[in-house]
Amino acid sequence: MIKRKFKVNRKEPAKRIDQMNKAELTKLRDYATFMSNAAGYADDGGQQNWWISVENECDSLIKSLP
């Protein structure tokens, strides 16, 4: 479980991934995909792997929500 908090909406405080709803998780997953691709182009393997793990965790939580 990733403990970091992410700010998905400007008007709301940052939340942990397990506190987000489906729309917020989808938005964060799309951003994580963008960032992992950007880190890949910058040849930064550590950052790319971290964003991929965020993306995978969002995917698993989206599938588990009704």
Side-chain angles (χ1 to χ4, degrees):
M1 172 62 65
I2 296 174
K3 303 282 186 207
R4 181 175 176 219
K5 292 183 177 183
F6 296 93
K7 190 166 182 115
V8 181
N9 298 321
R10 285 186 195 169
K11 296 181 180 180
E12 295 180 13
K15 298 179 183 177
R16 287 197 334 256
I17 289 178
D18 59 338
Q19 297 171 331
M20 293 184 182
N21 62 32
K22 203 171 201 173
E24 292 169 332
L25 285 169
T26 303
K27 191 173 183 180
L28 179 59
R29 183 193 61 200
D30 293 344
Y31 182 71
T33 302
F34 167 76
M35 289 302 291
S36 68
N37 289 336
Y41 291 126
D43 199 24
D44 187 354
Q47 280 292 319
Q48 184 179 23
N49 290 339
W50 190 83
W51 281 110
I52 289 171
S53 68
V54 171
E55 184 180 354
N56 291 338
E57 191 158 342
C58 287
D59 278 337
S60 66
L61 287 171
I62 288 169
K63 290 176 184 174
S64 70
L65 290 174

